[in-house]
Amino acid sequence: MEGATLSKPLILPAFQAEEVHCTGRAFSSSLSAREKKLVCVTSGNSCLDSHIVKELLANGYLVRVTIQNPVDFEDIKELMKDEEINQLESVVVAKMQDLESLCDAFRGCHAIFHTSSFIDPHGVSGYSEHMAFLETEVARNVIKACSGAAYMRRCIFTSSLLASIWSDDNLDRTIDEGCWSNEEFCRENKLWLALGKTTAEKAAWGKSKELKVKLVTVCPGLLMAPSFPYAHKDTSLPYLKGGSVMLQRGILATGDVNKVADAHVRVYEAMDDGAFGRYLCFDKVVERLDEGIQLENELKRHGLRPGSVVSAEETREVHSKLCNSKLAKLLLEGSQGKSCRQ
């Protein structure tokens, strides 16, 4: 089965997870699906995606998940409980570089959540310059498929804080949603994940304007999870390339994966009420060297400590230049609105 050439997506119904069924046009945009707000989450076998799926299910959404290969379903079973998997509308094998495959997967959906084009839960492949190029090509594909198949043409696109922080001329500037990383700076310093997220997000914005897809982007810091460091080793290692510079500049920020997932859902829900543009997403800025050392120990890697440092410097605070007030305001307004409804 894995070696077969698939012209249409493979459907893995959640209630028959151990069986594999091939179909033609997999889904129809039925009225009942629209009423339940069917949404699709790409690459559901990653740590962040699985948490977004859980958050959507907990809020009563009908959720479809895509994976790149049938074997990736094993990762989903490790990341989610059986009862959560059984709540899914379906799991669809859809190649991220195959536009027709994505269109079939997105058909009838109210919105698309796209977090990453490359998922490596076991953290063995790293992130290369070539991946940065492909990440950008897939971003265009996702927006094209969203335009052609998702009936509401909405996309919640996960970028990264890395797409805003890397520049050689912003040392004293507050970094917010208006800031973009310098692509040439990223290339010169081999910051491939930062480059990939920057170019992919820009491509998504360009294509969404062209095709009239309503787009919002969430730009999280380094993801943190209870099962650290293995739950998202694939993103933590490439994210921290240049980590000592981030720490010194006060731009090294982390985000609890549960809070980041919740932010994705809240931003989506606020799109009807004016949510727009980019949202920087983090809940902690590493501002002291001892905090950086603690992060190193949790990651079981080193490189944040800038050479030999005396103990007095370990508690020296670095002034943060990051600002996520736009997201904080949206979340506050959302919680107030929810309290009023209750």
Side-chain angles (χ1 to χ4, degrees):
M1 178 62 71
E2 290 182 32
T5 300
L6 301 174
S7 58
K8 300 294 181 184
L10 210 81
I11 309 306
L12 306 177
F15 54 86
Q16 293 177 323
E18 299 303 323
E19 300 179 23
V20 174
H21 301 274
C22 291
T23 70
R25 290 286 171 178
F27 300 99
S28 63
S29 53
S30 65
L31 181 61
S32 61
R34 294 182 182 187
E35 289 173 343
K36 294 179 180 178
K37 286 196 174 180
L38 172 64
V39 297
C40 183
V41 181
T42 64
S43 303
N45 57 314
S46 77
C47 179
L48 175 57
D49 284 280
S50 66
H51 281 80
I52 292 175
V53 169
K54 293 175 184 180
E55 193 67 32
L56 287 165
L57 290 173
N59 282 274
Y61 290 97
L62 192 61
V63 183
R64 180 181 301 163
V65 172
T66 75
I67 52 178
Q68 294 246 53
N69 302 286
V71 68
D72 294 336
F73 190 67
E74 296 302 314
D75 293 322
I76 290 182
K77 290 195 287 187
E78 291 183 9
L79 291 166
M80 298 176 63
K81 299 176 182 177
D82 289 343
E83 55 266 33
E84 293 169 334
I85 294 175
N86 288 333
Q87 291 180 56
L88 297 175
E89 187 257 8
S90 58
V91 179
V92 184
V93 175
K95 298 296 184 181
M96 302 300 289
Q97 293 173 266
D98 183 346
L99 180 59
E100 185 179 4
S101 180
L102 285 178
C103 284
D104 278 330
F106 294 173
R107 201 164 307 283
C109 291
H110 185 265
I112 309 304
F113 288 78
H114 175 66
T115 64
S116 179
S117 305
F118 300 97
I119 302 299
D120 179 15
H122 309 291
V124 296
S125 64
Y127 195 100
S128 65
E129 182 178 11
H130 181 61
M131 284 184 174
F133 169 77
L134 292 179
E135 183 101 47
T136 304
E137 293 301 300
V138 168
R140 293 192 183 95
N141 259 5
V142 167
I143 300 300
K144 288 179 184 177
C146 187
S147 171
Y151 80 89
M152 286 298 288
R153 293 188 176 187
R154 294 186 176 193
C155 182
I156 299 83
F157 187 99
T158 309
S159 179
S160 172
L161 188 59
L162 295 178
S164 295
I165 65 174
W166 285 116
S167 177
D168 54 2
D169 60 358
N170 66 354
L171 297 180
D172 297 316
R173 178 183 174 187
T174 297
I175 297 175
D176 58 15
E177 287 77 10
C179 299
W180 287 92
S181 289
N182 182 289
E183 294 176 32
E184 191 56 38
F185 180 86
C186 292
R187 287 191 182 92
E188 289 176 355
N189 292 278
K190 295 181 171 55
L191 300 168
W192 303 130
L193 182 60
L195 177 65
K197 294 300 182 181
T198 302
T199 55
E201 187 185 352
K202 286 184 176 180
W205 279 115
K207 190 58 66 175
S208 68
K209 291 175 182 177
E210 175 189 336
L211 299 178
K212 295 181 172 55
V213 171
K214 191 169 184 180
L215 176 71
V216 290
T217 60
V218 180
C219 306
L222 175 65
L223 294 179
M224 304 290 285
S227 51
F228 208 53
Y230 302 107
H232 44 78
K233 187 177 180 180
D234 55 317
T235 56
S236 63
L237 298 185
Y239 188 102
L240 284 170
K241 190 169 186 181
S244 62
V245 176
M246 283 191 269
L247 179 59
Q248 292 175 64
R249 291 186 180 182
I251 55 177
L252 176 57
T254 62
D256 179 273
V257 69
N258 292 292
K259 294 180 180 178
V260 173
D262 176 71
H264 278 74
V265 178
R266 301 305 153 213
V267 168
Y268 162 53
E269 292 179 334
M271 290 176 78
D272 283 331
D273 297 319
F276 69 97
R278 312 174 76 208
Y279 291 87
L280 302 192
C281 180
F282 55 89
D283 51 69
K284 179 178 174 57
V285 180
V286 181
E287 296 183 305
R288 298 192 333 215
L289 183 58
D290 58 337
E291 294 174 342
I293 294 171
Q294 181 181 353
L295 181 61
E296 281 186 334
N297 293 334
E298 290 175 333
L299 272 170
K300 295 182 172 57
R301 76 180 297 274
H302 301 284
L304 295 180
R305 192 184 315 202
S308 177
V309 184
V310 296
S311 59
E313 291 182 322
E314 292 186 356
T315 57
R316 178 175 57 87
E317 291 194 3
V318 178
H319 178 63
S320 171
K321 299 178 179 66
L322 299 174
C323 176
N324 63 348
S325 59
K326 183 181 176 183
L327 178 61
K329 181 181 178 182
L330 181 147
L331 295 177
L332 177 61
E333 291 174 347
S335 63
Q336 290 175 339
K338 184 176 181 180
S339 297
C340 290
R341 289 192 297 271
Q342 290 175 342

